[in-house]
Amino acid sequence: MLFNSFEFLLFLPIVFFLYWFILQKKLNIQNSLLLVSSYFFYACWDYRFLFLLLFSTFLDYFTGIKMEESKNQSVRKRWLIISVGINLGFLGVFKYYDFFATSFAGFLMNFGLNVHPTTLNIILPVGISFYTFHGLSYVLDIYFQRIKAERNFVEYGVFVSFFPLLVAGPIERATHLLPQIKKARTFNYGQAVQGARLILWGLFKKVVIADNCAIFVDAVFPAYTDASNSQLILAIVLFSFQIYGDFSGYSDMATGVAKLFGIELLRNFNYPYFSRSIAEFWRRWHISLSSWFKDYLYIPLGGSRVSKGKQIRNTFVIFLVSGFWHGANWTFIFWGLLHALFIIPSIFFATNRQHLATVAEGKFLPSFKELFQMIATFILSSFAWIFFRAKNMEEAFGIIRTIGKGHGKIEQLSSAYPIAAVLIMLIMEWQSRQSSIPFSHIKNKWIRYVTYLIILFLIFMMGAFINPRSFIYFQF
Amino acid sequence: MKKFLSYIAIFFAVAALLLFLYGQFCEKFFLERKYFPNESRRAWAMKQFNGQYDYAVLGSSRAEGAFDMQLLDSITQKKGINISSNGSGFVDNFLVLHKFLENKNTIKTLYLQVDNYSLDPEGNFSNAFHVFNFLPFWKDTIYQNAILHYLPKKDQILFKNLPWMRFYVYNKYFSPLEVSRRILLSRKKEKKRADQLLISTSQKPEMLGDSSRFFFKKNSDHFSVNNFDVEYFEKIFSMAKENNIEIVCFTAPDFSGQKSRFSNYAETEKLLFNILNKNKINYYPSNFTDAESSDLIYFKDPEHLNRYGVRLHTIRFAPLISK
């Protein structure tokens, strides 16, 4: 069930109505409704993997309690190892086994050993990387005694599988989400309005920006050898906006839907393409994943309070793992490696903590220097996206080699729609870059209402509804 | 809560009203023949009005690009029109012919291009059916029935209950941008007969003999014939009969290697001939010899002739029309 589908258009009002009108008196029943609806939402993708979700939820719930009950550190550690091991084991089998098996066979071939690995060829359970990371953060937090284990299975179940964030995040923390689930919720008009705005803007970014860019990108990338230079460059630029529109659009809708139920989710995007450096870009892109790796990997490795050499090692580790988290392919690992390389100079010169404030704060336009920095950051991130989008390393390097030599055998492709849509988005987001809620820069309420209508009309007029595309991050 | 829900309700009511109004505008605008764009062969064919023709050619891109219509008219001294369009299966063909005749055009003889590809548009054309070309005529059940067959279930329900939503689902073809484009196009004078465009623009001599073009990947290596396409194939015969049009079927030449690329080429061809025999339709096979059919010099790609092939095919075909 996609957020931009008819099914969801029916599903959301039904759950909303039951939640606030029928079951609003009892928190337990409200949470049970959220759990049942979340499992139904997940079953619409593939009911066969419900068991996996349920098992993973139960495992972390149970090991969490066991860890808390034990006063013996080695027993606690054993429970932690069981939980982390099984969770990562599932991830390993479903997501990485085939990759390791084929890569190992490829490695052996270099020594003349011809091995035919057995691959599983199983489909990846949607959202497995997201709910596994929810569970991992929970058990790690209990192990490090940052939180108490949750005794109510329904509440813990909602934390892991709350439907807006179940399949593509944001990756929540127990410290942030669980207290909200445990607390009685009352309808808040302001929060609901913010939610509705986020849903509208997220939908625009998905169906107008991402899906229109996808039409152009999908025509050029697989046929890059036949594309012209301008088509190739435009496809790379449009992919940067496609993935942003797709993923941040999803995150906005997820956050907006959660707000309708009185729940605040972690912010996942903060206008990353207005960043003045790659370090700033990573403070603004997929924030919930970056902060997860920072808290559970980078800081335990010593973070930035170690020697420069170790800092660089830690940076490489975090970016390589982050790349690998996205998928079992060398392209993702190389994408992570590129970002690590882009960020290393700022560690050397200790400039990685620059640009903490919003660009051109309080000003209408950026300075020339800021504009140059933003364009340079965009070019670097777009270059790295080539590897993220390419099917394999050969295709990625093929695309790079072809730039400058393209001969344009592909028929003329219309790029007017995606370019127009991207411009609309950039203007709107530039205006509201100091707020997490879209449209908040428009102070006059009538102008705001008209803007909502225009955006809705643009969704209907420019949205790509024939053969709707799934969200890119569902595959991770 | 009340305030929130009433604002949401008002917002959606205003939005629905705006969408409905634009939908109503589309209902009228896209039915106006003068706004049918010439660069779409299907739209151009459906735009023709009150013409009297000795013959017409109908079919897919293989028929669209198989004739030099000016040469054919000059040899036969008859007035013809080529209303074929690229990617058209029999359902498209039927609806285009229906509109063409509805527009008070008359034809004495219809030359219908038939082949295995047209019996399996799903597997051989990029669009099994060009829904967007016929959506403006939704209110006419003849078009609606065909369209419904190709729509996903939820679009069927949506279009039946809120017909104006079709302009939003297929917004690429009905947006305000498209409206302005069509208005601009309608002001341009037609410089050339649209059924001559293909000959002059897309068949470049430098493509000649480039054998790499003959090895592109096909959607499928097997023909899957759908009863729905067969039904519309036969409907073309009945429509011709009702309008006193003599119908002649033919097959444009294709590159000889084609037959071996499909596992059931012969079976499908047999089915095609059975349909023709059952309806007592005159049929003329490809007029190329075996040697010509295996000569790259005449082909643009495995299914389409280039300008040399078109010239040879036209000259060979002319006596059939002159008869």
Side-chain angles (χ1 to χ4, degrees), chain B residues 237-258:
Chain B
F237 304 148
S238 8
M239 183 163 48
K241 204 172 170 189
E242 281 163 24
N243 289 278
N244 294 321
I245 299 169
E246 185 200 354
I247 191 157
V248 176
C249 288
F250 73 99
T251 300
D254 58 355
F255 190 64
S256 60
Q258 278 303 87

Short mmCIF file of all heavy atoms in Angstrom, two decimals, chain B residues 237-258:
data_model
loop_
_atom_site.label_atom_id
_atom_site.label_comp_id
_atom_site.label_asym_id
_atom_site.label_seq_id
_atom_site.Cartn_x
_atom_site.Cartn_y
_atom_site.Cartn_z
N PHE B 237 -13.98 -5.76 -40.27
CA PHE B 237 -14.64 -6.30 -41.47
C PHE B 237 -16.12 -5.91 -41.48
O PHE B 237 -16.66 -5.49 -42.51
CB PHE B 237 -14.53 -7.84 -41.52
CG PHE B 237 -13.12 -8.35 -41.44
CD1 PHE B 237 -12.83 -9.57 -40.83
CD2 PHE B 237 -12.07 -7.62 -41.99
CE1 PHE B 237 -11.53 -10.03 -40.76
CE2 PHE B 237 -10.76 -8.09 -41.92
CZ PHE B 237 -10.50 -9.30 -41.30
N SER B 238 -16.79 -6.08 -40.31
CA SER B 238 -18.22 -5.76 -40.29
C SER B 238 -18.46 -4.26 -40.50
O SER B 238 -19.41 -3.88 -41.19
CB SER B 238 -18.91 -6.22 -39.01
OG SER B 238 -18.02 -6.68 -38.09
N MET B 239 -17.58 -3.44 -39.95
CA MET B 239 -17.76 -2.00 -40.14
C MET B 239 -17.59 -1.65 -41.61
O MET B 239 -18.34 -0.84 -42.16
CB MET B 239 -16.76 -1.21 -39.29
CG MET B 239 -16.94 0.28 -39.38
SD MET B 239 -16.12 1.20 -38.08
CE MET B 239 -14.52 0.50 -38.05
N ALA B 240 -16.61 -2.28 -42.27
CA ALA B 240 -16.39 -2.01 -43.69
C ALA B 240 -17.63 -2.41 -44.49
O ALA B 240 -18.10 -1.68 -45.38
CB ALA B 240 -15.17 -2.77 -44.17
N LYS B 241 -18.17 -3.57 -44.12
CA LYS B 241 -19.34 -4.09 -44.82
C LYS B 241 -20.52 -3.12 -44.66
O LYS B 241 -21.18 -2.77 -45.65
CB LYS B 241 -19.71 -5.46 -44.24
CG LYS B 241 -20.49 -6.34 -45.19
CD LYS B 241 -20.60 -7.72 -44.58
CE LYS B 241 -21.59 -8.55 -45.39
NZ LYS B 241 -21.88 -9.80 -44.72
N GLU B 242 -20.74 -2.68 -43.44
CA GLU B 242 -21.86 -1.75 -43.19
C GLU B 242 -21.72 -0.46 -43.98
O GLU B 242 -22.71 0.19 -44.33
CB GLU B 242 -21.88 -1.36 -41.69
CG GLU B 242 -22.50 -2.41 -40.80
CD GLU B 242 -22.12 -2.18 -39.34
OE1 GLU B 242 -21.80 -1.03 -38.96
OE2 GLU B 242 -22.11 -3.17 -38.58
N ASN B 243 -20.48 -0.07 -44.27
CA ASN B 243 -20.26 1.20 -44.98
C ASN B 243 -19.93 0.99 -46.46
O ASN B 243 -19.41 1.90 -47.11
CB ASN B 243 -19.12 1.97 -44.31
CG ASN B 243 -19.54 2.52 -42.96
OD1 ASN B 243 -20.16 3.56 -42.86
ND2 ASN B 243 -19.23 1.77 -41.90
N ASN B 244 -20.24 -0.22 -46.94
CA ASN B 244 -19.99 -0.57 -48.35
C ASN B 244 -18.56 -0.33 -48.79
O ASN B 244 -18.29 0.22 -49.86
CB ASN B 244 -20.92 0.24 -49.27
CG ASN B 244 -22.35 -0.15 -49.05
OD1 ASN B 244 -22.64 -1.35 -48.87
ND2 ASN B 244 -23.25 0.82 -49.04
N ILE B 245 -17.66 -0.71 -47.93
CA ILE B 245 -16.24 -0.55 -48.27
C ILE B 245 -15.69 -1.93 -48.61
O ILE B 245 -15.87 -2.87 -47.84
CB ILE B 245 -15.45 0.05 -47.09
CG1 ILE B 245 -16.01 1.43 -46.73
CG2 ILE B 245 -13.97 0.12 -47.40
CD1 ILE B 245 -15.48 1.98 -45.42
N GLU B 246 -15.02 -2.00 -49.75
CA GLU B 246 -14.39 -3.27 -50.09
C GLU B 246 -13.12 -3.37 -49.23
O GLU B 246 -12.40 -2.38 -49.08
CB GLU B 246 -14.00 -3.29 -51.56
CG GLU B 246 -13.45 -4.64 -52.00
CD GLU B 246 -12.64 -4.57 -53.29
OE1 GLU B 246 -12.59 -3.49 -53.92
OE2 GLU B 246 -12.07 -5.59 -53.64
N ILE B 247 -12.89 -4.54 -48.67
CA ILE B 247 -11.71 -4.65 -47.80
C ILE B 247 -10.70 -5.65 -48.37
O ILE B 247 -11.07 -6.73 -48.82
CB ILE B 247 -12.12 -4.99 -46.34
CG1 ILE B 247 -10.95 -4.83 -45.41
CG2 ILE B 247 -12.74 -6.34 -46.19
CD1 ILE B 247 -11.36 -4.59 -43.97
N VAL B 248 -9.46 -5.22 -48.39
CA VAL B 248 -8.38 -6.07 -48.88
C VAL B 248 -7.29 -6.08 -47.82
O VAL B 248 -6.90 -5.01 -47.34
CB VAL B 248 -7.80 -5.51 -50.21
CG1 VAL B 248 -6.60 -6.35 -50.66
CG2 VAL B 248 -8.86 -5.44 -51.29
N CYS B 249 -6.86 -7.28 -47.45
CA CYS B 249 -5.79 -7.33 -46.45
C CYS B 249 -4.45 -7.61 -47.12
O CYS B 249 -4.40 -8.30 -48.15
CB CYS B 249 -6.08 -8.42 -45.42
SG CYS B 249 -7.43 -7.93 -44.33
N PHE B 250 -3.41 -7.07 -46.55
CA PHE B 250 -2.08 -7.29 -47.11
C PHE B 250 -1.07 -7.32 -45.96
O PHE B 250 -1.38 -6.92 -44.83
CB PHE B 250 -1.70 -6.19 -48.11
CG PHE B 250 -1.40 -4.87 -47.45
CD1 PHE B 250 -0.08 -4.48 -47.21
CD2 PHE B 250 -2.43 -4.02 -47.06
CE1 PHE B 250 0.20 -3.26 -46.60
CE2 PHE B 250 -2.15 -2.80 -46.43
CZ PHE B 250 -0.83 -2.42 -46.20
N THR B 251 0.10 -7.82 -46.28
CA THR B 251 1.17 -7.81 -45.27
C THR B 251 2.36 -7.07 -45.85
O THR B 251 2.83 -7.42 -46.94
CB THR B 251 1.58 -9.25 -44.89
OG1 THR B 251 0.42 -9.91 -44.35
CG2 THR B 251 2.67 -9.28 -43.84
N ALA B 252 2.80 -6.08 -45.13
CA ALA B 252 3.99 -5.34 -45.58
C ALA B 252 5.21 -6.24 -45.38
O ALA B 252 5.22 -7.06 -44.48
CB ALA B 252 4.12 -4.06 -44.79
N PRO B 253 6.22 -6.09 -46.23
CA PRO B 253 7.39 -6.98 -46.10
C PRO B 253 8.10 -6.80 -44.75
O PRO B 253 8.17 -5.70 -44.23
CB PRO B 253 8.32 -6.50 -47.23
CG PRO B 253 7.46 -5.72 -48.15
CD PRO B 253 6.35 -5.13 -47.34
N ASP B 254 8.57 -7.91 -44.21
CA ASP B 254 9.47 -7.81 -43.07
C ASP B 254 10.73 -8.63 -43.35
O ASP B 254 10.76 -9.44 -44.27
CB ASP B 254 8.81 -8.18 -41.73
CG ASP B 254 8.21 -9.56 -41.68
OD1 ASP B 254 8.21 -10.23 -42.71
OD2 ASP B 254 7.73 -9.96 -40.60
N PHE B 255 11.75 -8.37 -42.58
CA PHE B 255 13.05 -9.00 -42.83
C PHE B 255 12.92 -10.51 -42.61
O PHE B 255 12.31 -10.95 -41.65
CB PHE B 255 14.08 -8.39 -41.88
CG PHE B 255 15.48 -8.78 -42.19
CD1 PHE B 255 16.07 -8.39 -43.40
CD2 PHE B 255 16.23 -9.53 -41.30
CE1 PHE B 255 17.37 -8.74 -43.69
CE2 PHE B 255 17.54 -9.88 -41.60
CZ PHE B 255 18.10 -9.49 -42.79
N SER B 256 13.53 -11.29 -43.49
CA SER B 256 13.27 -12.74 -43.49
C SER B 256 13.66 -13.43 -42.18
O SER B 256 13.04 -14.41 -41.80
CB SER B 256 14.01 -13.38 -44.65
OG SER B 256 15.38 -13.13 -44.49
N GLY B 257 14.66 -12.90 -41.48
CA GLY B 257 15.09 -13.55 -40.24
C GLY B 257 14.04 -13.53 -39.15
O GLY B 257 14.13 -14.28 -38.17
N GLN B 258 13.04 -12.72 -39.32
CA GLN B 258 12.02 -12.54 -38.28
C GLN B 258 11.33 -13.85 -37.89
O GLN B 258 11.08 -14.08 -36.72
CB GLN B 258 10.94 -11.57 -38.76
CG GLN B 258 11.31 -10.13 -38.59
CD GLN B 258 11.65 -9.80 -37.16
OE1 GLN B 258 12.78 -9.96 -36.72
NE2 GLN B 258 10.66 -9.35 -36.40
#
